[in-house]
Amino acid sequence: MTVLQAPAAGITDGHAGLARATWHDTGVDDRALVDAVLDGDRDAFRLLVEREQRVVYRACLRILGRPHDAEDVAQEAFVMAYRSIASYRGDGPLGGWLLRIATRQAFRRLRQRRETSELGSALVLNAPGADPLAAALADERQRAVRLAVASLGEPYREVVALRFFGEMSLDEIAATTHRPVNTVKTHLRRGLERLRPVLGAEAVA
Amino acid sequence: MSRRPFDPGEIDRDATDLESAANELERYAALTATATPRDLDDRVMAAVERDPVPRRGVLGRLGWPALAAPMGRLGRVAVLAAALVLVVGGVMAAGELARIIRDASIGGPSSSPTESFVPSASPSEEASPSASESESPTDSIDGSASPEPSGTPRSSEESGGASVTPEEQQTESPSVTASPTPKASQTSTPEETSTPTP
């Protein structure tokens, strides 16, 4: 329980240069959390999972559209993060690092799903009892959004996914992807430009 | 609405033309803002429970635990055994290669005596230059005699000595040495070759 008793909020002992306010500001520094996990403190990793699972799961669900798949991929992403946590350099938010792993994994799963011709939409997000026609149209629209984002090339896809599906700010994306903020802005703009024919007002109309 | 609504000013330039696409993404994100499954953290921790503690250092950074962990303990042992086999195989292959190279380098001079036997069987061409180079017939006899005794023991040593016995070589070598000398003296005499040159 090293981390749970650790001093709070962006203050680390011995890692002053790496100290950052955590993404969700839960009072535990990212670097201290990672060091605790590397020291064998599994409770520290549980804390990380509890802290980030909501955002990671939602991002996966937004990419995949299926709760069951999203849950599987979120779990895989956490396990992958645990195994490679030593590669976290500490120069970006830990949540962003995790989200990056999760979104990549989710896009990979989506591609595999498409390769196995599971193209049928299965989003169970429409309210039960809603008009079937409206539900079907909404379902189709959501599927179009997912496919449009998934069909973007890198790095636009990653930036759009982190911004809209991971709900990260551009500064956080820049820190996570080790790119200048202006580059991230450009990538987001170009990504949206590519999405406009599919998702724009004219496409909706 | 999502936790962080899109603001066109985020992209600095006038991004109003992109607002519709961004709004569509926002709407989609709002629809999918559902609750997390209740037992996700337990499932993750159960999956991680069997894993070893992540490694620090180079191996950890290279993702060795990520590579090895899904296979379990037996799998890791198998990976290590395979790596060991590869290393041993590599060393053996390198040794074999070195032996082949060494044999090839040694085999060069050892093949020359065997080649020297072949022209000696038909010495009509080779005997004449040796005779022409030599100034006197006595020199040519000495020259033909001196390399062959030195060549025959070397070939017997290097080719193993088991296949070609010294007796056979001795029996061959006199016949070889004997045949050129009379021919050299008969066919190409130093007078014949030396007379056109001056």
Side-chain angles (χ1 to χ4, degrees):
Chain A
M1 299 295 284
T2 316
V3 169
L4 297 174
Q5 297 161 359
I11 302 165
T12 52
D13 41 352
H15 298 288
L18 299 169
R20 283 176 190 275
T22 56
W23 183 22
H24 294 299
D25 197 20
T26 51
V28 181
D29 179 70
D30 286 349
R31 191 68 238 179
L33 201 57
V34 169
D35 284 343
V37 173
L38 288 171
D39 288 338
D41 186 353
R42 288 183 196 267
D43 289 332
F45 189 70
R46 178 178 280 278
L47 185 66
L48 174 65
V49 175
E50 287 172 355
R51 196 180 80 178
E52 307 292 346
Q53 63 175 342
R54 187 177 62 91
V55 181
V56 167
Y57 172 74
R58 281 187 183 181
C60 293
L61 181 62
R62 285 163 181 164
I63 291 170
L64 290 162
R66 295 181 180 184
H68 183 71
D69 282 357
E71 200 174 334
D72 277 355
V73 170
Q75 182 185 335
E76 282 173 23
F78 276 115
V79 172
M80 284 175 72
Y82 178 78
R83 288 170 183 164
S84 56
I85 202 161
S87 64
Y88 171 67
R89 291 190 283 179
D91 46 1
L94 184 57
W97 181 76
L98 253 170
L99 253 182
R100 208 175 177 201
I101 294 174
T103 52
R104 281 183 184 175
Q105 194 68 14
F107 281 123
R108 193 171 296 138
R109 172 69 70 91
L110 189 67
R111 194 172 59 240
Q112 287 168 356
R113 214 167 67 184
R114 282 205 301 245
E115 282 167 4
T116 53
S117 69
E118 282 188 69
L119 281 169
S121 61
L123 195 57
V124 196
L125 299 170
N126 296 308
D131 177 19
L133 180 62
L137 285 174
D139 190 24
E140 190 61 30
R141 188 72 204 143
Q142 290 164 3
R143 183 169 162 267
V145 173
R146 286 196 301 275
L147 290 179
V149 174
S151 63
L152 283 175
E154 293 293 356
Y156 314 117
R157 184 176 69 179
E158 182 179 49
V159 173
V160 168
L162 291 176
R163 172 64 190 84
F164 290 99
F165 296 168
E167 302 177 28
M168 293 173 74
S169 73
L170 295 189
D171 289 336
E172 288 167 346
I173 296 171
T176 300
T177 57
H178 314 294
R179 296 176 195 140
V181 180
N182 283 333
T183 307
V184 172
K185 284 179 183 176
T186 307
H187 290 164
L188 182 60
R189 183 181 182 84
R190 288 184 184 161
L192 288 174
E193 280 170 358
R194 283 163 169 76
L195 288 174
R196 191 171 47 185
V198 186
L199 304 184
E202 63 274 19
V204 175
Chain B
M1 211 51 160
S2 69
R3 186 173 61 90
R4 208 185 295 271
F6 177 74
D7 174 18
E10 281 181 46
I11 316 182
D12 281 347
R13 284 186 274 175
D14 183 25
T16 49
D17 55 332
L18 302 175
E19 223 174 331
S20 55
N23 287 339
E24 181 75 12
L25 287 168
E26 287 280 340
R27 271 196 296 274
Y28 175 71
L31 268 176
T32 47
T34 55
T36 315
R38 200 174 298 165
D39 61 342
L40 180 60
D41 50 350
D42 292 332
R43 282 176 57 187
V44 170
M45 292 313 294
V48 158
E49 196 65 35
R50 294 184 296 271
D51 275 23
V53 174
R55 290 190 186 193
R56 292 176 189 270
V58 180
L59 276 178
R61 286 180 187 277
L62 287 176
W64 158 251
L67 269 176
M71 295 177 280
R73 193 176 176 183
L74 200 65
R76 283 195 294 277
V77 170
V79 166
L80 285 173
L84 191 67
V85 166
L86 276 177
V87 168
V88 170
V91 168
M92 286 175 71
E96 187 70 16
L97 191 68
R99 194 185 64 79
I100 289 169
I101 291 170
R102 195 188 59 217
D103 287 353
S105 63
I106 291 170
S110 72
S111 63
S112 63
T114 55
E115 286 174 358
S116 72
F117 289 122
V118 179
S120 64
S122 58
S124 60
E125 289 181 353
E126 285 218 11
S128 57
S130 68
S132 64
E133 281 172 5
S134 60
E135 292 176 352
S136 66
T138 52
D139 287 342
S140 70
I141 292 165
D142 292 337
S144 64
S146 62
E148 283 179 354
S150 66
T152 42
R154 201 183 299 159
S155 65
S156 65
E157 282 171 9
E158 287 164 3
S159 62
S163 59
V164 182
T165 58
E167 292 168 355
E168 288 171 356
Q169 288 174 357
Q170 282 172 3
T171 51
E172 280 182 2
S173 59
S175 67
V176 168
T177 49
S179 62
T181 33
K183 280 180 185 173
S185 60
Q186 285 171 5
T187 57
S188 60
T189 55
E191 287 83 12
E192 284 175 19
T193 51
S194 60
T195 41
T197 339

